[in-house]
């Protein structure tokens, strides 16, 4: 069990926290089949995270199978973390198929801004209007054409510096932009920006934790009432589980293990009790 | 040490359990070099599982190197979990090389039935007569052209519903069909069907446990007297280790870690003491 | 904390140990951005190892992005563990770009000698003069055209049998050859050969530990004063951490977890106290 902390979120209405928390339980009932076209570094960890939150992962990522499966899967993640000529083609065709089916998906623009191939790809993918874009501040800035301070996958910019660009991006896609950092932000055209201060610094010491958030968002989208709730609930589940995992961990190796265990236990009750929503 | 449970297998002769269990020790002595052409999600976990059971893994999976290495390797696994145009070609050429060399191999038809490319590939691979086909019920049905209830990698059908098709498939390949599920089945043309009730539900909460079984089968094939014994012993080692791991685990993250530790310890004695063979 | 063992290194001057150990701390301050073109089995583990030692990993490995990023990254690893036509091209172009920029890099010739494609590739890569070649004895022999006893990724030869060839190879590249085995060797044209007897047998039971050493070398190269020091310090950090991890582990699964935790803690003090340098 994840022990409740008994410190209620200070500034947000209780009903909002409850609605976010309820998504975490609903996903375990729905077990959404979640397709991932993701980078080669995190495939296994991503699949294990999806299993832990109650989704059913399917890493169907080729040009030949990706677009077909995008018509079947409940959720879809496209993460541009390692791309080449073949994966660019597969991702574009899969996103096109998904958009044609009118179904939700999440884009994770890993390291966009620093490298030309993935930057062009991510911008092209925006045309298929992802319901949620999930990235760190540097990636969100890079996606919109701003020159951030990112090098590789680590953010060189803080969340606050990307909020304006995130709002403009959300307006353009008509969806949500979830900016990860010390205090995460969920930005959308139609709802006030949420800030989530839960989480732990060890999340930056395990590869694929950010990518896993994108996958959780993808799994939550077909279950939550709105993309805004999906992004908020995914961030809530991951950061609350991460705090619990950090209390048990002795370093990044044991943190990754504890994180999967904590994600398998996290539910509406522990989210409600522990989420630091602002 | 894995503690003996002291409940003898109820219905099967002791000699049969002993012969299955002996394979587990023999593999640790032989250290079979085991080539894997497997999916991108489970490469690392599969290699670690093979090391834990005493085999020597080699993920030589390209069109350029796979067919050559198939003439050197003691064992061979082909798993179609993530396929594209390039991997289809590599797998067919490697299977052809293996068949030409007259050496054993195991086919894992992941998610076959739902997706056209891998379904055709797996059926084409059957022509090279795998000694063991290892899959869940939906995959075995899908391989034979039956429409199962599988979606993605999870079985939508139970093992019993696939037994007839497994028997026909075994007759056609002249080999063994190992059907994974709550009570596993090892079906072959020449031996009575074995059922193995050992195992734990956490095996379905870690990605690649099913795929790891295929790899263990591939490693056991060159050592065991028959493919039937190889499939039975691989299932026995994995499920007995999984029960031990589940007793120590607090969730899917720690289960995966404990499973590798338990697999590194499992031996003929613990298999004999704990296997629930029916 | 990793407990000091209080057995000073017997034969080497204290100043040498201190200079090696200092690199371990310096890397945590510099956080070198370390690009890896590595094999598909170990991408995630490699990235986690790099994070644990204080580097910033970036698995930018395509033909399209690899050569560009090689001009930005502080460190670069090329590991030929799983190669195909596309990755061969990407690796050659990235090494050429790196050499043109006059920056350091590390080559890991996994399983070279047994398989023609990677053997030719690794020899072609030598033309770009890697600052450190990191391999086991069979791979070092195979790289130089000697027929070793290696099969797949495991060494069939011991370190001593490769020392002469390593010296000739170091002379040819003008760099360092780090030979891994029971007692590791760091061989270079300009410095006396170092031997490091730290480490633990469990390192051979987890996939990617050898590959991780290549990645650590790549991360240490831009920070250390010489390639010789980088190779020595990387070997020191990994083997000292491995001894600590082995004391806490119950098998290969928990060893991998403990190794990441220990790598995140290892520092100049624990290296100085525990390194068995000869």
């Amino acid at each position: 069990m994840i022990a409740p902390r008994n410190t209620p979120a200070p500034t947000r209405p209780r009903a909002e926290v409850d609605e976010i928390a309820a998504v975490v339980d609903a996903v375990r009932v729905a077990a959404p089949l979640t397709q991932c076209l993701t980078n080669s570094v995190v495939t296994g960890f991503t699949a294990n995270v999806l299993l832990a939150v109650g989704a059913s992962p399917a890493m169907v990522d080729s040009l030949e199978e990706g677009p077909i499966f995008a018509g079947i899967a409940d959720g879809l993640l496209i993460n541009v973390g390692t791309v080449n000529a073949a994966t660019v083609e597969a991702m574009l065709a899969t996103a096109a198929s998904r958009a044609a089916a009118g179904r939700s998906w999440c884009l994770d623009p890993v390291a966009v801004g620093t490298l030309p191939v993935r930057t062009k790809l991510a911008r092209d993918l925006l045309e298929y209007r992802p319901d949620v874009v999930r990235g760190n501040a540097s990636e969100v800035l890079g996606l919109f054409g701003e020159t951030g301070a990112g090098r590789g996958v680590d953010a060189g910019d803080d969340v606050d510096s990307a909020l304006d660009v995130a709002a403009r991006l959300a307006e353009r896609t008509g969806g949500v932009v979830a900016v990860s950092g010390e205090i995460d932000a969920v930005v959308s055209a139609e709802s006030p920006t949420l800030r989530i201060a839960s989480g732990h610094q060890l999340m930056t010491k395990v590869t694929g934790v950010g990518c896993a958030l994108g996958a959780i968002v993808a799994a939550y989208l077909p279950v939550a009432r709105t993309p805004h709730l999906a992004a908020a609930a995914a961030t809530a589940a991951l950061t609350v589980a991460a705090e619990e995992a950090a209390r048990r961990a002795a370093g990044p190796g044991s943190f990754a293990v504890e994180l999967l265990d904590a994600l398998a236990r996290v539910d509406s009750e522990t989210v409600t009790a522990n989420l630091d929503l602002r």
Side-chain angles (χ1 to χ4, degrees), chain A residues 59-73:
Chain A
M59 275 41 195
V60 181
D61 59 3
S62 68
L63 176 62
E64 294 80 10
E65 296 191 329
I68 300 170
F69 203 71
I72 303 171

Side-chain angles (χ1 to χ4, degrees), chain A residues 210-248:
Chain A
C211 298
L213 177 55
I216 302 175
V217 170
Y220 280 21
L221 272 169
V223 178
R225 191 172 52 79
T226 65
H228 191 82
L229 275 169
T235 307
L238 181 63
T239 55
V240 166
E243 289 186 358
E244 169 67 12
R247 281 192 286 274
R248 298 170 185 271

Side-chain angles (χ1 to χ4, degrees), chain A residues 136-139 149-158 180-181:
Chain A
N136 64 39
S138 301
E139 291 158 354
R151 296 173 80 217
V153 299
D154 294 324
D157 305 277
D158 86 351
S180 303

Side-chain angles (χ1 to χ4, degrees), chain A residues 77-80 106-113 122 126 130-144 152-163 165-166 169 176-187 195 209-215 217 231 235:
Chain A
L77 167 72
I78 298 183
N79 170 311
V80 304
C106 175
L107 171 65
D108 193 333
V110 178
V112 158
L126 279 185
D131 299 80
V132 178
V133 174
R134 197 302 309 176
N136 64 39
S138 301
E139 291 158 354
V140 168
L141 292 170
L143 191 53
F144 211 73
V153 299
D154 294 324
D157 305 277
D158 86 351
V159 173
D160 286 344
S161 71
L163 289 182
V165 167
L169 186 56
V176 170
V177 178
V179 191
S180 303
E182 210 179 313
I183 302 183
D184 299 310
V186 177
V187 178
R195 300 301 298 266
V209 173
C211 298
L213 177 55
V217 170
T235 307

Side-chain angles (χ1 to χ4, degrees), chain A residues 37-197:
Chain A
L37 287 77
T38 191
N39 68 74
S40 59
V41 186
V42 303
T43 45
F45 184 68
T46 302
N48 280 328
V49 163
L50 286 172
L51 286 166
V53 300
S56 177
M59 275 41 195
V60 181
D61 59 3
S62 68
L63 176 62
E64 294 80 10
E65 296 191 329
I68 300 170
F69 203 71
I72 303 171
D74 300 313
L76 171 66
L77 167 72
I78 298 183
N79 170 311
V80 304
T82 53
V83 290
N84 55 47
T87 53
V88 163
E89 214 185 336
M91 287 177 179
L92 288 170
T94 301
S97 159
R98 190 72 175 178
R103 303 184 79 169
S104 69
W105 68 288
C106 175
L107 171 65
D108 193 333
V110 178
V112 158
T114 17
L115 286 161
V117 175
R118 68 182 68 194
T119 301
K120 179 178 184 325
L121 168 62
R123 290 180 190 160
D124 289 348
L125 286 169
L126 279 185
E127 301 305 312
Y128 299 111
R129 299 170 72 96
D131 299 80
V132 178
V133 174
R134 197 302 309 176
N136 64 39
S138 301
E139 291 158 354
V140 168
L141 292 170
L143 191 53
F144 211 73
E146 305 277 330
T147 309
R151 296 173 80 217
V153 299
D154 294 324
D157 305 277
D158 86 351
V159 173
D160 286 344
S161 71
L163 289 182
D164 283 351
V165 167
R168 279 186 281 154
L169 186 56
E171 215 165 296
R172 194 167 124 203
T173 62
V176 170
V177 178
V179 191
S180 303
E182 210 179 313
I183 302 183
D184 299 310
V186 177
V187 178
S188 52
E190 279 144 53
S191 306
T193 294
L194 281 183
R195 300 301 298 266
I196 293 177

